[in-house]
């Protein structure tokens, strides 16, 4: 499913059919919630996954949080895939950027994995390219994830870079110009009329799916 989704995303991007959302969101919250999604996989591999966000990341910006989450999931999943020992760190900050009318967000995913040969760094973001000829056999994948990341970052008018040392690990850094969002759109208190609405004392949720595993996951989530 991941491979199919990456292929579809890549095809839509190349065809100019990707439309980015522009909504208000808290940068820190999106990064933290995305990292939490990867925590079970990190625990399963006994890899330490830490999130280091300074106060600068706690800002309301405007953009496409779903696509930002997709980029972070791809980078973090790659880091977990190629790391056997050590840990992974997700760091982020945001600085004022007058040109962007808001902030420049800098997000870095660093690992202590196998690393990438210097000769391959220039092509690592090309479709179907991986850090090693034997990567697909050892670790799986098709080499589409990083290409999708680069394309999405480009659509957001940002840049993605990589630094790596074979045998020591890699660091992928994403820099995005993000307009300032509307704080009240997220954190505004409900008006008096809304506050008088009595809360529901019972909520019935119907989940329909023909896949037993999906149903188990949904049941656990709820």
């Amino acid at each position: 499913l991941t491979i199919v989704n990456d292929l579809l995303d890549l095809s839509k991007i190349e065809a100019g059919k990707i439309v980015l959302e522009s909504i208000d969101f808290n940068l820190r919250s999106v990064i933290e919630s995305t990292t939490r999604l990867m925590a079970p996989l990190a625990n399963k591999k006994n890899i330490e996954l830490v999130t280091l966000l300074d106060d600068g990341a706690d800002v309301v910006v405007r953009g496409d949080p779903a696509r930002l989450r997709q980029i972070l999931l791809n980078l973090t999943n790659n880091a977990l895939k190629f790391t056997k020992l050590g840990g992974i760190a997700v760091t982020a900050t945001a600085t004022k950027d007058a040109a962007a009318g808001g902030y420049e967000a800098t997000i870095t995913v660093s690992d202590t994995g196998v690393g990438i040969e210097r000769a391959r760094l220039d092509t690592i973001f090309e479709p179907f390219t991986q850090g090693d000829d034997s990567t697909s056999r050892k670790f799986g994948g098709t080499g589409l994830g990083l290409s999708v990341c680069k394309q999405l970052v480009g659509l957001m008018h940002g840049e993605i870079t990589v630094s790596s040392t074979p045998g020591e690990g890699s660091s992928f850094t994403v820099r995005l110009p993000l307009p300032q969002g509307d704080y009240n759109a997220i954190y505004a208190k409900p008006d008096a009329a809304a506050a008088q609405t009595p809360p529901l004392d019972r909520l019935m949720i119907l989940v329909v799916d023909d896949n037993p595993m999906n149903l188990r996951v949904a049941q656990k989530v709820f």
Side-chain angles (χ1 to χ4, degrees):
L1 182 60
T2 300
I3 293 171
V4 171
N5 282 337
D6 284 343
L7 281 169
L8 288 173
D9 278 338
L10 198 60
S11 297
K12 286 190 290 185
I13 291 170
E14 291 178 348
K17 299 296 184 182
I18 288 283
V19 178
L20 298 179
E21 279 194 301
S22 183
I23 60 178
D24 298 310
F25 64 95
N26 181 281
L27 180 64
R28 184 188 186 106
S29 296
V30 168
I31 297 172
E32 286 180 334
S33 64
T34 303
T35 305
R36 282 197 299 269
L37 288 175
M38 303 304 295
L41 181 58
N43 292 336
K44 185 177 180 179
K45 294 189 65 176
N46 292 320
I47 298 295
E48 184 179 16
L49 175 60
V50 297
T51 307
L52 306 172
L53 309 180
D54 66 17
D55 292 338
D58 191 15
V59 292
V60 175
V61 294
R62 191 166 184 81
D64 192 329
R67 292 300 181 178
L68 175 57
R69 187 175 289 110
Q70 180 180 357
I71 292 167
L72 291 176
L73 285 174
N74 263 329
L75 294 179
T76 308
N77 186 59
N78 266 3
L80 285 169
K81 185 189 300 183
F82 298 116
T83 301
K84 289 185 177 180
L85 297 173
I88 295 162
V90 180
T91 62
T93 188
T95 56
K96 278 285 189 179
D97 184 355
Y103 303 90
E104 180 182 76
T106 302
I107 306 167
T108 300
V109 179
S110 302
D111 64 61
T112 56
V114 297
I116 306 167
E117 294 290 342
R118 180 180 296 274
R120 294 184 176 271
L121 291 178
D122 292 337
T123 61
I124 195 67
F125 294 108
E126 294 180 4
F128 306 107
T129 299
Q130 294 184 311
D132 190 290
D133 288 333
S134 60
T135 292
S136 59
R137 293 192 296 274
K138 290 181 180 179
F139 302 99
T142 59
L144 287 172
L146 288 178
S147 179
V148 171
C149 285
K150 183 175 179 63
Q151 299 277 8
L152 289 175
V153 170
L155 289 175
M156 296 177 180
H157 308 292
E159 65 172 356
I160 180 170
T161 57
V162 58
S163 61
S164 184
T165 302
E168 296 184 12
S170 305
S171 291
F172 288 84
T173 299
V174 175
R175 293 182 178 84
L176 295 173
L178 296 170
Q180 185 167 349
D182 183 359
Y183 183 91
N184 292 325
I186 300 177
Y187 299 108
K189 295 180 180 180
D191 56 31
Q196 293 174 2
T197 304
L200 294 174
D201 59 359
R202 178 181 297 177
L203 182 62
M204 302 292 288
I205 301 175
L206 174 65
V207 180
V208 181
D209 200 296
D210 61 357
N211 185 307
M213 182 58 70
N214 288 352
L215 288 174
R216 288 183 61 189
V217 171
Q219 189 177 26
K220 290 291 185 181
V221 169
F222 286 120

